[in-house]
């Protein structure tokens, strides 16, 4: 059965972020998953894999979460989709109320999209268009070195990870990169950001950052103080601040949003991934009343924000998001994560003692370390992922960087097993 499934898969399916020859040659196994259960993925042969990466960071509360399952089932029986131009529905209204109730102060308007890259493009377009509607033509966006904001062309243009961006550079609009506090320290990064803003004064509409963790940028991390200083700089230069919390939002860094740790509110915030608990695609771009007001007028086509896609405000996805946020806000999940964060810290300390391990780091429920001393051709990340699967653990290293971003359903004991097994794998390399 398994071999037949894999044969059928390889005949037609092109998997993302993969060299398909690796699967065909058996360098990496292609595993057929049948169902999920809490922190585990279960394949067609019944093997249980601890999902240490939350299935690309989307599965927030655990696979097959009963409350989200019920919400999706109930909504499916009532309304699956309606055009969101001229129509609305209770799940979307409820979600907008809930998200603005927990978001940083001032983010009172919610624009719906389908995935993280779309939310980023919406935010960039809003920032540029809002300035234009106020008589300012500011075509430049500033992002940080080593940043990642998605892989559609607009979102890719804002990022700075060569692995994703370099090949497509001729297709991308121009952006400016400032130094990342994760690479050089907060004070130097703020000084460089000031220089960038001064050099391009009157031409920049927005600065976009991933608060606290540059996830696809090898899980590079920095302190909250930088965000406070950046907020002040954006105010000084009349530039919008976009917080891309797609990967770090909803408790991943230990607080509901990473921006909360700096006590700041951005002008725009993008959310996705954990928003629906990993059940359905959905993203949100949150905006201030000030930005919203720049578009509010009698109907004039060039002033209206005409971004859309077919599944905007999908009712089933909104129901999943409501069930996710209910559990985060009504229960004690973030409080209970404290013991898990401590277990990750302790496990990371043991991994740090391994000779080849460098730069251990952690923000809440996100932990990472680098494995040094191997050439690129050794494909050390692939070797670690393969060995982890043999031990029924799902890891997906970023090059030589190994990271953990598990669902909140994981237990302290499972975290200890995860860290101990990973340490053994790295030691045996």
């Amino acid at each position: 059965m398994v071999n037949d499934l894999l044969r059928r898969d390889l005949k037609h399916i092109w998997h993302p972020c993969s060299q398909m020859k690796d699967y065909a040659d058996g360098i990496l196994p292609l595993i057929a998953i049948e169902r999920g259960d809490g922190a585990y993925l279960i394949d067609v042969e019944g093997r249980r894999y601890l999902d240490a990466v939350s299935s690309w960071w989307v599965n927030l509360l655990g696979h097959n979460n009963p409350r989200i399952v019920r919400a999706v089932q109930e909504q499916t029986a009532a309304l699956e989709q309606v055009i969101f131009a001229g129509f609305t529905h209770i799940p979307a209204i409820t979600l907008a109320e809930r998200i603005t109730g927990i978001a940083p102060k001032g983010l009172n308007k919610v624009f719906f999209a389908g995935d993280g890259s779309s939310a980023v493009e919406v935010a960039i377009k809003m920032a540029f268009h809002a300035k234009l509607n106020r008589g300012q033509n500011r075509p430049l966006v500033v992002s940080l070195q080593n940043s990642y904001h998605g892989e559609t062309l607009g979102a890719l243009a804002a990022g700075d990870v060569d692995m994703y961006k370099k090949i497509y550079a001729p297709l991308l609009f121009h952006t400016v990169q400032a130094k990342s506090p994760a690479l050089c320290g907060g004070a130097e990064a703020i000084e460089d950001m000031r220089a960038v803003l001064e050099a391009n004064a009157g031409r920049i509409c927005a600065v976009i950052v991933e608060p606290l963790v540059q996830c696809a940028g090898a899980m590079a991390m920095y302190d909250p103080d930088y965000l406070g200083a950046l907020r002040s700089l954006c105010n000084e230069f009349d530039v919008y601040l976009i917080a891309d919390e797609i990967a770090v939002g909803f408790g991943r860094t230990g607080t509901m949003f990473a921006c909360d740790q700096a006590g700041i509110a951005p002008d725009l915030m993008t959310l996705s991934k954990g928003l629906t608990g990993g059940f359905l695609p959905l993203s949100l771009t949150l905006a201030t009343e000030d930005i919203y007001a720049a578009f509010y007028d009698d109907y004039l086509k060039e002033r209206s924000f005409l971004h859309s896609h077919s599944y905007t405000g999908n009712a089933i996805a909104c129901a999943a998001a409501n069930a996710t946020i209910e559990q985060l806000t009504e229960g004690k999940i973030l409080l209970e994560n404290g013991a898990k964060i401590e277990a990750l810290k302790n496990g990371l300390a043991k991994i740090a003692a391994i000779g080849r391990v460098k730069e251990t780091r952690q923000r809440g429920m996100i932990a990472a370390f680098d494995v040094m001393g191997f050439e690129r051709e050794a494909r050390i990340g692939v070797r670690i992922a393969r060995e982890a699967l043999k031990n029924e653990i799902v890891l997906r290293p970023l090059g030589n960087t190994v990271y953990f971003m598990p669902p909140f359903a994981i237990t302290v004991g499972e975290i200890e097993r995860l860290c101990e097994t990973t340490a053994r794998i790295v030691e045996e390399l």
Side-chain angles (χ1 to χ4, degrees), residues 128-326:
F128 169 75
H129 201 166
K131 292 293 186 186
L132 193 66
N133 282 349
R134 291 195 164 118
Q136 303 173 46
N137 185 3
R138 297 188 173 203
L140 287 182
V141 173
V142 178
S143 63
L144 298 181
Q145 293 173 355
N146 193 52
S147 62
Y148 173 90
H149 298 286
E151 291 174 46
T152 55
L153 291 179
L156 197 60
D160 187 51
V161 178
D162 269 358
M163 181 172 65
Y164 304 103
K165 184 175 182 177
K166 184 177 180 180
I167 291 173
Y168 304 105
L171 303 177
L172 307 180
F173 69 86
H174 177 63
T175 59
V176 179
Q177 277 67 55
K179 290 183 178 180
S180 167
L183 303 182
C184 68
E188 183 178 340
I190 281 295
E191 184 179 343
D192 187 67
M193 180 64 76
R194 175 177 286 280
V196 168
L197 295 176
E198 287 176 345
N200 297 279
R203 301 185 64 234
I204 296 169
C205 63
V207 173
I208 182 169
V209 298
E210 303 155 275
L212 302 188
V213 187
Q214 294 184 306
C215 291
M219 294 293 166
M221 302 181 186
Y222 60 91
D223 294 330
D225 289 351
Y226 173 83
L227 295 174
L230 179 61
R231 173 71 277 182
S232 296
L233 269 185
C234 288
N235 291 344
E236 180 181 342
F237 285 88
D238 189 26
V239 167
Y240 293 130
L241 175 59
I242 304 172
D244 179 355
E245 295 233 10
I246 288 165
V248 297
F250 301 110
R252 287 292 191 192
T253 64
T255 50
M256 185 63 74
F257 300 107
C259 282
D260 295 340
Q261 295 184 37
I264 63 123
D267 302 290
L268 293 151
M269 176 182 280
T270 58
L271 300 170
S272 190
K273 290 197 182 291
L275 174 62
T276 67
F279 273 66
L280 289 157
L282 182 68
S283 65
L284 305 175
T285 301
L286 277 58
T288 62
E289 294 281 355
D290 177 72
I291 290 176
Y292 178 78
F295 298 89
Y296 196 81
D297 203 344
D298 294 332
Y299 185 79
L300 294 171
K301 186 174 183 180
E302 55 274 9
R303 286 188 68 86
S304 301
F305 191 64
L306 298 182
H307 189 100
S308 64
H309 72 92
S310 302
Y311 281 89
T312 297
N314 178 260
I316 302 173
C318 288
N322 281 320
T324 300
I325 294 172
E326 282 174 6

Side-chain angles (χ1 to χ4, degrees), residues 49-60:
Y49 299 87
L50 184 62
D51 186 358
V53 299
S54 296
S55 291
W56 250 342
W57 320 343
V58 300
N59 190 277
L60 192 71

Side-chain angles (χ1 to χ4, degrees), residues 34-96:
E34 185 173 68
R35 58 193 177 90
D37 178 25
Y40 290 88
L41 294 164
I42 304 166
D43 70 15
V44 293
E45 295 181 308
R47 294 185 71 190
R48 295 169 62 86
Y49 299 87
L50 184 62
D51 186 358
V53 299
S54 296
S55 291
W56 250 342
W57 320 343
V58 300
N59 190 277
L60 192 71
L61 303 179
H63 295 281
N64 204 21
N65 179 277
R67 193 161 170 180
I68 305 176
V69 169
R70 286 195 301 272
V72 168
Q73 289 173 337
E74 291 170 5
Q75 186 57 47
T76 302
L79 173 68
E80 76 298 337
Q81 171 68 8
V82 61
I83 180 175
F84 212 53
F87 293 87
T88 191
H89 48 74
I90 292 172
I93 294 169
T94 302
L95 177 55

